[in-house]
Amino acid sequence: MKTDKLKIDSHKLIYHIPRVHDWLKGKNIYPIYVEATLFGGCNHRCIFCALDYLKYKPNILSMDSIRHFIIEARRKGVKSIYYAGEGEPFLHKDAPEIIAFTKKSGIDVAVTTNGVMFDSEVARKSLGYLSWLRVSLNAGTKKSYSFIHNTRKDDFDIVIDNLKKSVKLKKKNKYNCTIGVQFLLLPQNYKEAAPLAGILSGIGVDYLIIKPYSQHPLSINRIGAKLKYTKEFDLDKKLAGYSKNNFQVIFRRHSMDKLEERKPYKYCLGLPFLTHITANGDVYPCSRFLGNKNFVFGNICRDSFGDIWEGKRRVKIMGMIYSKWDINRCRQICRLDEINRYLWELKNPGEHVNFV
């Protein structure tokens, strides 16, 4: 298996030492990374959806609000914005323009989509501005895709075709956008990871991520019988054969191992380095708290980002999280897990650390 040069199964705070240094000194740092929802609704009803409890409300983040936020966020030191969140981002009619504006403002931009709406026109307007595009594609056949994504069988062919056209457009225009696919390994689809890898290798996408399922504490969906991921490492070896030329299969074995572990940290230390914005403009610490108004820092449709981030309400909420929140109420593996492990070790070094 090739090295995961994108560090998808790790973290990237090691490239932001000045921000980490300020955090260690107790300064109120601004986030490096923001996850924002453009549209709250979705055209799929995936059986694994973590945020189904939010009811897919068709909230729309207004163009004016996100523009004002982007301009201020750039001044405050935000480095990247990832458009994903509660729904399908390309159901927002202005998504391509927002992506372009984000990049032109000096902030790196990426997006995760189910790929159905990412047709030739949307790709033409978006692809050149994206650092990466990731398509959630969780089956290798039309029949399984229809069941897992809870949608029409024909959507599978549409997504595959959109990926082909996106790869062709990228190569033609020499865009510096990484095009990848994410596959959530489930009891219902694990036999289709290899067939999908074969399809994607032929298309010419850059990577396929094989990711373990982690139950969101609030989601309505329950997958039922869980895979014993430690028994699926033969699949890792099988998929390794597809990693050749410019295509890579990233099998998140490290994350699978961690599902069997206790978290080696007591608090979520990584929250200052990112934040989450919903389609109605609410700013949350992270996706774990979405829908709970007690954890809303403020709203970018009403307030400036600076006032929200430096406001008394955020200070109060963060204090509550650090003093009262039990991290065992969070997902077993989340976006912040590797960051938390790194920061916890910085805060709590072991013996003999001077013997480098």
Side-chain angles (χ1 to χ4, degrees), residues 255-305:
S255 291
M256 296 176 191
D257 284 336
K258 290 189 296 182
L259 284 170
E260 307 298 325
E261 298 177 1
R262 288 180 60 86
K263 295 175 182 177
Y265 48 88
K266 295 181 180 179
Y267 313 106
C268 187
L269 299 175
L271 290 175
F273 293 91
L274 59 80
T275 196
H276 191 113
I277 300 174
T278 64
N280 67 1
D282 284 340
V283 182
Y284 283 89
C286 75
S287 61
R288 167 60 181 86
F289 303 106
L290 295 184
N292 189 335
K293 295 299 182 182
N294 293 324
F295 291 91
V296 176
F297 293 154
N299 188 289
I300 63 167
C301 301
R302 299 189 298 267
D303 308 302
S304 74
F305 185 51

Side-chain angles (χ1 to χ4, degrees), residues 2 5 171 201-202 204-206 240-249:
K2 294 182 180 179
K5 61 183 179 180
K171 291 180 178 178
S201 177
V205 303
D206 295 294
Y242 292 93
S243 290
K244 53 188 175 182
N245 300 324
N246 294 318
F247 177 69
Q248 181 183 9
V249 178

Side-chain angles (χ1 to χ4, degrees), residues 216 233 249 293 309:
H216 190 291
F233 292 155
V249 178
K293 295 299 182 182
W309 202 254

Side-chain angles (χ1 to χ4, degrees), residues 199-210:
I199 293 171
L200 298 177
S201 177
I203 290 173
V205 303
D206 295 294
Y207 65 75
L208 167 64
I209 297 171
I210 306 296

Side-chain angles (χ1 to χ4, degrees), residues 34-53:
V34 173
E35 183 169 339
T37 301
L38 295 180
F39 190 83
C42 191
N43 51 338
H44 286 182
R45 293 292 184 272
C46 301
I47 64 171
F48 56 81
C49 181
L51 301 177
D52 56 352
Y53 70 95

Side-chain angles (χ1 to χ4, degrees), residues 304-323:
S304 74
F305 185 51
D307 287 345
I308 293 170
W309 202 254
E310 298 178 26
K312 292 181 180 179
R313 180 169 175 82
R314 177 174 172 269
V315 171
K316 179 180 178 181
I317 292 171
M318 291 298 291
M320 177 173 60
I321 291 173
Y322 288 138
S323 63

Side-chain angles (χ1 to χ4, degrees), residues 54-205:
L54 296 174
K55 305 297 184 183
Y56 307 102
K57 297 174 183 176
N59 297 321
I60 301 174
L61 191 58
S62 74
M63 190 72 161
D64 285 344
S65 295
I66 193 63
R67 279 178 180 267
H68 288 307
F69 168 77
I70 288 167
I71 292 169
E72 186 180 8
R74 177 66 181 90
R75 293 200 304 265
K76 298 296 186 181
V78 170
K79 302 290 187 183
S80 65
I81 298 179
Y82 167 49
Y83 293 116
E86 306 110 272
E88 167 53 46
F90 290 106
L91 287 173
H92 193 304
K93 65 180 180 63
D94 296 320
E97 287 73 23
I98 292 170
I99 288 168
F101 183 82
T102 305
K103 184 61 178 179
K104 289 177 181 179
S105 298
I107 295 178
D108 290 341
V109 56
V111 66
T112 287
T113 170
N114 58 41
V116 176
M117 308 290 293
F118 201 75
D119 58 22
S120 297
E121 183 65 13
V122 172
R124 183 184 65 80
K125 294 178 178 179
S126 306
L127 207 60
Y129 299 103
L130 290 168
S131 294
W132 50 266
L133 168 76
R134 187 174 298 160
V135 173
S136 177
L137 177 53
N138 301 281
T141 64
K142 295 170 65 170
K143 182 179 179 180
S144 292
Y145 181 87
S146 176
F147 171 73
I148 291 168
H149 284 253
N150 202 4
T151 187
R152 305 174 307 156
K153 291 181 181 179
D154 289 346
D155 278 0
F156 180 81
D157 292 331
I158 291 171
V159 173
I160 295 298
D161 188 55
N162 286 343
L163 280 168
K164 289 178 181 177
K165 291 176 179 176
S166 294
V167 170
K168 185 177 180 180
L169 182 67
K170 170 189 171 178
K171 291 180 178 178
K172 177 182 178 181
N173 293 287
K174 298 181 179 179
Y175 289 146
N176 190 29
C177 173
T178 303
I179 300 175
V181 169
Q182 182 166 281
F183 181 97
L184 192 63
L185 199 59
L186 304 170
Q188 296 87 349
N189 69 2
Y190 72 98
K191 293 182 179 180
E192 298 193 4
L196 180 62
I199 293 171
L200 298 177
S201 177
I203 290 173
V205 303

